[in-house]
Structures are given as structure tokens and as C-alpha cells.
Amino acid sequence: MDALADLPVDTLLELAGVFFAALSGGLAGVRKSFDVFGVLVLAWATGLGGGVLRDVLIGATPPVGISSWEYVATALAAGLVIFFFHPGVERMRRTVIALDAWALAFFVLLGTTKGLEHGAGPLASVIVGVLTGIGGGILRDILVGEVPLVLADRQLYAIPAFLGAGVTAALWSAGLLGVATQAGVVLLVSGLRLLSLRLGWVVPSAATGWSGRWGSRGRMGL
Amino acid sequence: MDALADLPVDTLLELAGVFFAALSGGLAGVRKSFDVFGVLVLAWATGLGGGVLRDVLIGATPPVGISSWEYVATALAAGLVIFFFHPGVERMRRTVIALDAWALAFFVLLGTTKGLEHGAGPLASVIVGVLTGIGGGILRDILVGEVPLVLADRQLYAIPAFLGAGVTAALWSAGLLGVATQAGVVLLVSGLRLLSLRLGWVVPSAATGWSGRWGSRGRMGL
Amino acid sequence: MDALADLPVDTLLELAGVFFAALSGGLAGVRKSFDVFGVLVLAWATGLGGGVLRDVLIGATPPVGISSWEYVATALAAGLVIFFFHPGVERMRRTVIALDAWALAFFVLLGTTKGLEHGAGPLASVIVGVLTGIGGGILRDILVGEVPLVLADRQLYAIPAFLGAGVTAALWSAGLLGVATQAGVVLLVSGLRLLSLRLGWVVPSAATGWSGRWGSRGRMGL
């Protein structure tokens, strides 16, 4: 626990985000009757896959998602928790959705910032920031043989992510990215996500336009 | 429009290629009833995904497919066109197939050349050149949950691409890659592609050997 | 043949591993009625895809899987063998499974070592070592539209790989990685894999726990 105590607060927050994202990945594996190794791989891919894609795209190799003990152990721990206690996690559906909204916000903020600090430029940084937030879920869905939920289910998930990444890049360019503005970005992204869920806001699809309602499956497959 | 006017001719041609490739991606999303964000992601992945794979494989990070405003905006514009006007685009099926053959040729030529200029060597450059041409379509098919059409439908699509990439690498090695020979490569690839379509040439599959005929689905899913 | 004669023994062994892994990829393509190009792509992706992922993740671009004539030609040769002689290969099912266990061991040993020598650190090297061994099969399954077998079928495939990668990294760190210990790693991984097959050892899945028996499909889809 000494090692944990030495970690800065934002790393602890990011590890918490990895944990909650990895939970949804492990759960997708449990539902597909994957074996314990498959559940761990899905937890890892969902919790850390977005960051791995980011690091490969900006040339920051090896990605922290495969080189950092804290990150890898956190994702695998979530996979083990799901493997042994998945009925309990399924009952906490609402809690997990709220935690996932917060993890999305945190991933987007940190992913965009890492791109900018690595010299990737504002556009590429916004894209890898969004990818940090949504890439893990896309990998999860491809690995279990499903069409990526984020592309089809009309919920506001990518839009808060893009908004947060854009605001982060603008603040960074203006030299205004500090603790307070970072907290503002997290509130903006997670707040918009949760507000859209509560109010039933959707984006249009080509088939239905603006009408229609929520699909029966929630964002995280929960 | 001033910004566009400053672009060299070959960049304008490449952007046109991105646009036509992205159209087929957006259309695949519309057919799967993806939401507007999913359609834009598919347009981006199909128009620029092959180049992103190329740049990651040769170490040219961040890839132009995420760092260049012109490229990203072009792919997204194609996605919006498809989202709002897809019935009209579907009616132009023959035109889009012809434009796609030309985009394939252009992607292969430029992808191979970029590999060579980046020092990737002739074999790797030929492979990333082909991947620039066909990678976007493979990503598109995986994201919509289909088996990649280019691997299964027996049409001559990859073969013109390999031929064009090989000729490009040979010309480059011989110091003969100029405007005239580049035009020749584009004519060779797109001509062979369109000729094979008109004459019904197919490659064998293990199941049917050389017999059989076209599948009912066209190359671009159009 | 002179060129082959100049290759060191371990490269010849690795090429043999690529060949056997690529066989399983080509066979998956034949079963899906892919055309000859699709069969070659699947052979290449299965034989060399794990190494390509490894090289991208550790920043060793361009990956040997696209830049080395020996590797690419070996994978494509396996694809051609499968395309023309697949009924014969299917009859050698038991032989191919044994050869695949040995190829897995060799890929894990060499993949982990390459990561370590490239400065990727022990954790990342273990992960890319495992990925070298199992990544090709995952790519194969995604390209043919199947859920990756290694994640779901409860066989001991990834566990011997992880064990072998961990032992390799430990030996390397202790300065003990020589010909004898490398042979020991190969024996450990392939022996554990084959022993588990013979004795019917499985890992638990969330659905069935430790009970149940082998699925009807073998590891390599053979």
C-alpha cells in the first residue's frame, strides 16, 4: 500500500477510471461465457485499449497500458472482481453507469492532454482524446463479436467526449488548463452525459431521424 | 476557399479520393441504422483508416488521418453528405464504383511512395501501399460486423492494388517515378479494376475454383 | 537455396513457426469460402500478425512481418499450400496441433526477448511476448467474423504463453537466457500446452465454473 500512497491524486483518479471501464469489459466477457482468461483480456482491452490506441497513434511506445504495473494490475483486478462477483455488479447498474460517465470524462481530459504534451497538435490530440474515452468500448464490442454500441445506439456518449476534448485543447492552447478548468471539463463531459441519459436526449439515425426512443440495451451493456 | 486554392493538385486529387472512399463507409453505416456519430466515424475510418494503418506501420506518427484538417474535414463532409442525401448517392451506384476504382489507384500510388520516401524498404512499402488502398474498406466491414468483402468476393480489387504498388516501387527504385509514370500507374490500377468488372473476371475461391459468377453484393456494398 | 542456407538456425525455426501458424489462418479462410487473395491475407495475418502488433507496440517500425522477404514469403507459401492442398492438411489435424504448440512456444520466447532487447521493460515485454504467440489467431478470428477462440474455449493456450513469457523475462533479467534455458522455455510452453490437451485440463468460465468438457472445435479451428 506504500506504493499506492506514493501515487499522485490524478493517477489514483485515472486508475479508478480504468477500474470502472474494465468492469464493463469483463462483464461483456462473462455474458458471452468467455473463460477466465478471456474475461481478463476483455477487462484489460476495455480499461486500457483506448489509451493503447492513443499511445500508438502519437508514437508514445510502449503504451502505458502494457508497460505500467499499476494500470495493468488495476484492469486485471476489475476482471477478477467481475469473474467472481458479476451478479452483484449487475445489480449496481445505475452506479456503474454514473461511474462510467465520470471515467469517460477523465479519460478524454487526460488523453487529450497527453496528445498535446506529446506534440501531436490540436486536431490529432482531440481525436486521440476522444479515442482514449471510447476506444476501449469499441475494442470490447469487436472482441465479443458485436457492432460497437457507441456507433449505433444514438445516446450522447461521443458528443460529450468531443466537446470535452475540444474544450481541453482550447484551454491548453490558451495556457488556461489548471486544476479548476480541468475539474470544469470533467463536470461538463460527465454532466452532459448523465443529463442526456436522464432527459432521454438522442442523436438522429438515418433510419429514424430524430424520433424513436432508447434502445433496450444501455451504453455499457449493463 | 483560399486555403483550398493553396493546395497542390495532387493533394486535391487525394482529398477527392478520400471523399469517395468515405462515401462508401458512411453508406455502410446508414444501412446498419447507425446514428449520425456512427456514420461519421465509419466515413472517417473508411476514407482515412488505410492511411492511418500505413503511417502507424512505418512509424510516421501522428498519422495524417488524425492530424490534418483537410483530410479529416473531407472524410467527415462525405459522412454528412451520405447521412442527409444517401438515397441520391445510392442511385449513382455506377458512378461511385468508377470513382472508387480511381481512388484505389491513387491511394496505392501515394501510399507506396510514402513508404519508400519514409525509408520503409520496397517490400514494406508495397504492403503499406496496398493497405492504404484496401485497409479502409476492411476497417469499415469489421466495424459493421461483416466479413471483409475484399477477402471473400472474388473480384479483382487487391490484385490491381498489388500490381500498382509493385510497379510504383520498381519505378521509384529505377528513378523513373515522375508525373507521366504516376499517371500510368493510376491508369493501370483503375483500368484493370474496371475492365475486370466489365468482363466479369474473378479470382478462384477454394470452394468454387474458377467457376461461378459474381456475388450479388458489389465491391463497395453499393 | 543459398539464401536459406545463410540463415541462422533460430531464424529457420521461427520461419517454420510462421509457416505452421499461417496454415491455420489459411484454413480458416478456406472454410469461409474466401477467394485466393483472402486466403493469402489470412495466412499472412495469422502467421505474422502477432509479431506486427508486437513491433507496433514497442515502436520497432516497420515490423518484420511486412519488411522481411523471408517472413512474408513463408506466410504466403503456407497460404498457397492450404489453398491447393487443404483436404490433405485437414487430415493431419493431430500433427498440426502439435506443431502449433511448438510454434506458440517459439513465438512467445522470441517475442518476449525482442521486447526486452528493445528496451520495453519486463511487463510490456511479457505482454508483447504473449501477444506474439496469440495475436495472430485473434486477428484470424476477427477477420472471419468469429469470436476469438482463445478468449472463450477454456483450453490452456494463453496460460502456457504467459508462463513462458514470464520465465523468459526472469531468465533475461538474471542474465541466464542461453541456448539451454531457451530450449527449456520452449519445452515448458509446448509441453504444458500438449499435456493439458491430453489430460483435458481446462480453465473455468463464468458460465460453467470448473465443470464441463472440451468444446467440439479445437484450438486451431482444425
Tab-separated table of all heavy atoms in Angstrom, chain A residues 182-204:
chain	number	residue	atom	x	y	z
A	182	GLN	N	-9.670	21.983	-15.351
A	182	GLN	CA	-9.745	20.533	-15.569
A	182	GLN	C	-10.987	19.957	-14.903
A	182	GLN	O	-11.706	19.137	-15.481
A	182	GLN	CB	-8.495	19.840	-15.029
A	182	GLN	CG	-7.262	20.056	-15.900
A	182	GLN	CD	-6.033	19.374	-15.338
A	182	GLN	OE1	-5.790	19.406	-14.134
A	182	GLN	NE2	-5.259	18.749	-16.203
A	183	ALA	N	-11.237	20.392	-13.676
A	183	ALA	CA	-12.445	19.943	-12.983
A	183	ALA	C	-13.683	20.360	-13.768
A	183	ALA	O	-14.669	19.605	-13.861
A	183	ALA	CB	-12.488	20.518	-11.569
A	184	GLY	N	-13.633	21.556	-14.377
A	184	GLY	CA	-14.753	22.008	-15.194
A	184	GLY	C	-14.992	21.099	-16.385
A	184	GLY	O	-16.136	20.777	-16.724
A	185	VAL	N	-13.902	20.655	-17.039
A	185	VAL	CA	-14.052	19.754	-18.189
A	185	VAL	C	-14.697	18.442	-17.751
A	185	VAL	O	-15.607	17.919	-18.415
A	185	VAL	CB	-12.680	19.496	-18.858
A	185	VAL	CG1	-12.776	18.357	-19.868
A	185	VAL	CG2	-12.165	20.758	-19.527
A	186	VAL	N	-14.228	17.907	-16.620
A	186	VAL	CA	-14.788	16.640	-16.134
A	186	VAL	C	-16.281	16.805	-15.832
A	186	VAL	O	-17.101	15.953	-16.198
A	186	VAL	CB	-14.013	16.144	-14.893
A	186	VAL	CG1	-14.734	14.968	-14.243
A	186	VAL	CG2	-12.596	15.748	-15.291
A	187	LEU	N	-16.633	17.921	-15.191
A	187	LEU	CA	-18.046	18.173	-14.893
A	187	LEU	C	-18.855	18.308	-16.175
A	187	LEU	O	-19.975	17.788	-16.283
A	187	LEU	CB	-18.189	19.450	-14.059
A	187	LEU	CG	-17.986	19.275	-12.558
A	187	LEU	CD1	-18.118	20.619	-11.850
A	187	LEU	CD2	-19.041	18.293	-12.012
A	188	LEU	N	-18.306	19.026	-17.157
A	188	LEU	CA	-19.005	19.237	-18.428
A	188	LEU	C	-19.316	17.910	-19.118
A	188	LEU	O	-20.454	17.635	-19.512
A	188	LEU	CB	-18.138	20.108	-19.340
A	188	LEU	CG	-18.627	20.271	-20.787
A	188	LEU	CD1	-19.827	21.200	-20.849
A	188	LEU	CD2	-17.501	20.797	-21.691
A	189	VAL	N	-18.290	17.069	-19.250
A	189	VAL	CA	-18.471	15.823	-20.004
A	189	VAL	C	-19.393	14.858	-19.261
A	189	VAL	O	-20.376	14.351	-19.818
A	189	VAL	CB	-17.107	15.149	-20.282
A	189	VAL	CG1	-17.301	13.808	-20.989
A	189	VAL	CG2	-16.224	16.064	-21.103
A	190	SER	N	-19.085	14.633	-17.965
A	190	SER	CA	-19.903	13.660	-17.240
A	190	SER	C	-21.307	14.215	-17.000
A	190	SER	O	-22.297	13.473	-17.044
A	190	SER	CB	-19.229	13.265	-15.919
A	190	SER	OG	-18.974	14.414	-15.148
A	191	GLY	N	-21.412	15.521	-16.777
A	191	GLY	CA	-22.723	16.126	-16.557
A	191	GLY	C	-23.601	16.024	-17.798
A	191	GLY	O	-24.782	15.634	-17.722
A	192	LEU	N	-23.028	16.357	-18.959
A	192	LEU	CA	-23.807	16.276	-20.206
A	192	LEU	C	-24.222	14.836	-20.482
A	192	LEU	O	-25.353	14.566	-20.899
A	192	LEU	CB	-22.962	16.826	-21.362
A	192	LEU	CG	-23.615	16.833	-22.755
A	192	LEU	CD1	-24.952	17.566	-22.742
A	192	LEU	CD2	-22.671	17.464	-23.781
A	193	ARG	N	-23.306	13.922	-20.226
A	193	ARG	CA	-23.623	12.505	-20.424
A	193	ARG	C	-24.800	12.062	-19.543
A	193	ARG	O	-25.759	11.449	-20.011
A	193	ARG	CB	-22.370	11.672	-20.122
A	193	ARG	CG	-22.593	10.206	-19.897
A	193	ARG	CD	-22.901	9.476	-21.169
A	193	ARG	NE	-23.167	8.061	-20.926
A	193	ARG	CZ	-24.080	7.360	-21.575
A	193	ARG	NH1	-24.802	7.904	-22.523
A	193	ARG	NH2	-24.267	6.092	-21.298
A	194	LEU	N	-24.721	12.394	-18.256
A	194	LEU	CA	-25.754	11.925	-17.334
A	194	LEU	C	-27.070	12.668	-17.551
A	194	LEU	O	-28.158	12.082	-17.462
A	194	LEU	CB	-25.275	12.064	-15.889
A	194	LEU	CG	-24.110	11.119	-15.541
A	194	LEU	CD1	-23.565	11.423	-14.144
A	194	LEU	CD2	-24.558	9.662	-15.629
A	195	LEU	N	-26.969	13.980	-17.863
A	195	LEU	CA	-28.173	14.764	-18.132
A	195	LEU	C	-28.914	14.203	-19.352
A	195	LEU	O	-30.145	14.067	-19.359
A	195	LEU	CB	-27.777	16.222	-18.385
A	195	LEU	CG	-28.884	17.272	-18.252
A	195	LEU	CD1	-29.392	17.326	-16.815
A	195	LEU	CD2	-28.373	18.638	-18.695
A	196	SER	N	-28.138	13.839	-20.387
A	196	SER	CA	-28.775	13.317	-21.607
A	196	SER	C	-29.460	11.983	-21.328
A	196	SER	O	-30.511	11.676	-21.894
A	196	SER	CB	-27.749	13.158	-22.723
A	196	SER	OG	-26.915	12.037	-22.479
A	197	LEU	N	-28.852	11.194	-20.423
A	197	LEU	CA	-29.473	9.927	-20.048
A	197	LEU	C	-30.797	10.175	-19.340
A	197	LEU	O	-31.820	9.543	-19.627
A	197	LEU	CB	-28.548	9.137	-19.125
A	197	LEU	CG	-27.507	8.244	-19.784
A	197	LEU	CD1	-26.661	7.567	-18.716
A	197	LEU	CD2	-28.171	7.200	-20.670
A	198	ARG	N	-30.782	11.110	-18.373
A	198	ARG	CA	-31.987	11.367	-17.584
A	198	ARG	C	-33.105	11.959	-18.435
A	198	ARG	O	-34.284	11.627	-18.267
A	198	ARG	CB	-31.647	12.297	-16.415
A	198	ARG	CG	-32.866	12.753	-15.610
A	198	ARG	CD	-32.494	13.325	-14.264
A	198	ARG	NE	-32.062	12.327	-13.316
A	198	ARG	CZ	-32.887	11.607	-12.541
A	198	ARG	NH1	-34.183	11.762	-12.601
A	198	ARG	NH2	-32.394	10.732	-11.680
A	199	LEU	N	-32.720	12.854	-19.368
A	199	LEU	CA	-33.730	13.548	-20.164
A	199	LEU	C	-34.058	12.826	-21.460
A	199	LEU	O	-34.909	13.273	-22.235
A	199	LEU	CB	-33.270	14.980	-20.465
A	199	LEU	CG	-33.024	15.842	-19.221
A	199	LEU	CD1	-32.589	17.243	-19.614
A	199	LEU	CD2	-34.284	15.907	-18.349
A	200	GLY	N	-33.331	11.701	-21.740
A	200	GLY	CA	-33.658	10.928	-22.925
A	200	GLY	C	-33.235	11.593	-24.224
A	200	GLY	O	-33.822	11.336	-25.283
A	201	TRP	N	-32.213	12.480	-24.161
A	201	TRP	CA	-31.742	13.104	-25.401
A	201	TRP	C	-31.082	12.052	-26.271
A	201	TRP	O	-30.307	11.223	-25.804
A	201	TRP	CB	-30.710	14.189	-25.092
A	201	TRP	CG	-31.283	15.386	-24.428
A	201	TRP	CD1	-32.591	15.759	-24.377
A	201	TRP	CD2	-30.550	16.382	-23.702
A	201	TRP	NE1	-32.729	16.923	-23.663
A	201	TRP	CE2	-31.488	17.334	-23.241
A	201	TRP	CE3	-29.202	16.583	-23.408
A	201	TRP	CZ2	-31.116	18.442	-22.506
A	201	TRP	CZ3	-28.824	17.683	-22.681
A	201	TRP	CH2	-29.778	18.609	-22.225
A	202	VAL	N	-31.346	12.116	-27.576
A	202	VAL	CA	-30.689	11.215	-28.513
A	202	VAL	C	-30.197	11.995	-29.725
A	202	VAL	O	-30.639	13.108	-29.981
A	202	VAL	CB	-31.638	10.104	-29.017
A	202	VAL	CG1	-31.976	9.136	-27.908
A	202	VAL	CG2	-32.906	10.693	-29.614
A	203	VAL	N	-29.265	11.383	-30.448
A	203	VAL	CA	-28.864	11.937	-31.742
A	203	VAL	C	-29.636	11.182	-32.817
A	203	VAL	O	-30.073	10.056	-32.598
A	203	VAL	CB	-27.344	11.819	-31.968
A	203	VAL	CG1	-26.589	12.620	-30.919
A	203	VAL	CG2	-26.895	10.386	-31.982
A	204	PRO	N	-29.806	11.791	-34.000
A	204	PRO	CA	-30.609	11.124	-35.035
A	204	PRO	C	-29.850	9.965	-35.675
A	204	PRO	O	-28.619	9.941	-35.704
A	204	PRO	CB	-30.852	12.236	-36.064
A	204	PRO	CG	-29.722	13.181	-35.883
A	204	PRO	CD	-29.333	13.118	-34.432
